[in-house]
Amino acid sequence: MAIISNCTASLIKDAALALKEGHLVAFPTETVYGLGADATNEKAVARIYEVKGRPKDHPLIVHISSMELLDKWASEIPEYAIKLAIAFWPGPMTLLLKRTDLAKDFITGGQDTVGVRVPAHTVAMALLKEFEAQGGLGVAAPSANRFGKVSPTVADAVFGELSDYLSTYDLILDGGMCQVGIESTIINCTKSTPEILRPGAISASMIINETGLSVLRIGKFNNNSEIKTPGLLKSHYAPKAKVIISGTPSHGDGFIGLAEIPTPMGVIRLSAPKDSKEYAQVLYESLRAADSLGLKRVFIEPPDNQGIGEAIRDRLEKAANNRKDQ
Ligand code: TXA
Ligand code: MG
């Protein structure tokens, strides 16, 4: 497998062709790196599950270059979903909608909904456009990490996670560090009101302010929804190190917190973001750094619960849940 760092038009063309031929292409989006396959090719999609080590009933998000392809994948699209798409696509938002016949069980995990997203990243957009120009209809892409692990936000992290599992014909497109750094907001659009299942950079208040829509925000995200979201497990996004939220670190422990918080004595500072936006962007790389330094414990002081802070806390709680026993 090759890493392509200078994504010229002709290399993007080759990458789109690789997808058409059933190979996997990892690519940058504004949220995290995705591991892409032709969403209509069952064999190619099966390889995503193998490479990630992911259970088969976990559905995949279909990535398209514009709203125009939405009704290929989704039916019974409510008016509010169109409003959301107009307001936030391309961008870090996934809409769950009733599926069409094109969205097979191997994409939806057997559910009657499909997740669709138009990503805002020049490389992702170029790849999707080229893929569609070659007759493709959508690229299925989960985050490009092994199941349950931290999502990659740089190409090297994709390589570290997946190089043992990818084949010679698969590709990794390097588009630098992802701007947002945590996964898209997932919104269930099968009810009369939009419902946030996974918080992300598009927050409930942004939705309310930009569209005037009211939004259901499940207190503890995704617990009360009728939608089965197997990937939204209690434990996820976890490094090897034990994650402890708002504790008191000891000598040799890792620490992540806003720059305004001084580094406790003897503690290894993994990042010092200036605000919650930067916090989200560097979080996953900071967790990876903890593992590459071989740290046993990482103490994390989350930002406040406003805007993307809510999504950061959601991810941290899941990362912390992995090692509650230790
Ligand atoms: O930002 C993102 O969303 C990234 C980039 C690559 O686009 N993708 C991503 O995909 O995070 P993944 O597969 O790692 O997480 C998607 C989540 C999973 O928890 C999955 O269960 C849920 O979305 N999901 C996808 N389609 C669904 C569906 N039809 N019904 C319910 N849950 C769904
Ligand atoms: Mg994931």
Side-chain angles (χ1 to χ4, degrees), residues 5 16 22 30 60 65 110-111 119 126 142 154-155 194 198 215 225 230 238 272 275 319:
S5 47
E30 78 282 33
L60 300 173
S65 76
Q111 304 193 62
V154 295
R198 178 174 73 179
V215 197
S225 176
D275 53 25

Side-chain angles (χ1 to χ4, degrees), residues 22-24 55 96 131 251 263 303 307:
H23 305 299
L24 303 185
L96 294 190
F131 180 70
H251 190 88
T263 309

Side-chain angles (χ1 to χ4, degrees), residues 5 11 40 44 67 95 114 157 161 212 237 244 261 274 291 296:
S5 47
L11 290 170
T40 63
M67 249 174 88
L95 301 181
V114 63
E161 285 276 332
Y237 315 110
I244 299 159
I261 306 171
K274 64 176 185 306
D291 283 350
K296 297 260 180 313

Side-chain angles (χ1 to χ4, degrees), residues 4 7 17 26 31 34 83 87 93 95 101 105 151 163 196 198 255 258 284 323:
I4 295 172
C7 295
L17 190 63
T31 58
K83 266 194 178 174
M93 177 187 75
L95 301 181
D101 290 345
D105 285 349
S151 300
S163 60
I196 297 183
R198 178 174 73 179
F255 180 71
L258 285 170
Y284 289 159
R323 306 285 292 253

